[in-house]
Amino acid sequence: MLAGAGLWWLLAAMPAHADAYADVQQLLRAGRAQEAQARAEQYLSSHPRDPQMRYLLGRIQHETGRSDDALQTFTRLTEDFPELPEPYNALAVLHAARGDYEQARLALQAALRNNPAYAAAQENLGDVYAALARLAYCKARELEPGNAAVAAKLERLGSSPCP
């Protein structure tokens, strides 16, 4: 549903630390998430405020099913670096996965305030609005089951069932 986020432009801007980032990313791509997390945490022990590695750690947490930890990591990133749009986008992905579309919408709007040209966040906002529309149409169908216009709108949004 929601497009992934990346701090790749920031990673490229930090050549002195590129090896650490590359190592973590390579481990993650190789399916060695525990090693990637250990390497990220090791790096962060001496560079605790590094936003790029903290972002990678959040990705690892999310990809290994530790969404509560990822939520906490990305939330802290938005608090420490409110100007970065990527952590807000990552938060939105987590909120949307939990069905909390309002929080996802707010996070995406923050990302887009920071970078209006952030295409992934704009796409994700569209997905969130579509999910919110689906919920509203489902409620309308519940209130008026015979409404053909609502049924047609639900059909246009896709085949997933109403909650």
Side-chain angles (χ1 to χ4, degrees), residues 5-150:
L7 287 174
W8 312 124
W9 60 273
L10 283 175
L11 294 177
M14 303 292 288
H17 304 297
D19 289 342
Y21 303 133
D23 289 348
V24 171
Q25 290 173 1
Q26 184 177 17
L27 289 167
L28 192 55
R29 280 192 303 269
R32 297 163 53 189
Q34 287 182 338
E35 291 174 67
Q37 180 173 339
R39 178 68 177 105
E41 288 172 348
Q42 176 188 9
Y43 179 88
L44 287 169
S45 69
S46 59
H47 304 89
R49 289 197 36 89
D50 184 291
Q52 295 86 3
M53 192 61 78
R54 289 169 62 188
Y55 180 84
L56 285 173
L57 179 60
R59 277 190 51 215
I60 294 166
Q61 293 165 332
H62 173 66
E63 292 180 21
T64 57
R66 295 177 30 239
S67 62
D68 288 341
D69 292 337
L71 192 69
Q72 187 175 43
T73 296
F74 292 130
T75 299
R76 284 192 198 134
L77 268 171
T78 64
E79 293 166 356
D80 293 345
F81 301 95
E83 71 280 7
L84 295 177
E86 290 83 357
Y88 289 105
N89 189 61
L91 275 175
V93 170
L94 293 169
H95 287 304
R98 294 175 175 205
D100 189 350
Y101 298 113
E102 186 57 27
Q103 285 301 311
R105 182 186 65 78
L106 293 172
L108 289 165
Q109 288 176 333
L112 290 166
R113 272 192 305 277
N114 290 335
N115 182 359
Y118 190 8
Q122 192 65 57
E123 177 184 352
N124 290 344
L125 185 59
D127 290 339
V128 166
Y129 282 137
L132 287 168
R134 171 168 271 296
L135 291 174
Y137 292 145
C138 286
K139 183 66 175 177
R141 185 174 70 180
E142 179 184 312
L143 295 170
E144 191 178 351
N147 186 327
V150 169

Side-chain angles (χ1 to χ4, degrees), residues 145-157:
N147 186 327
V150 169
K153 291 174 184 179
L154 277 167
E155 188 174 316
R156 280 195 302 271
L157 285 175

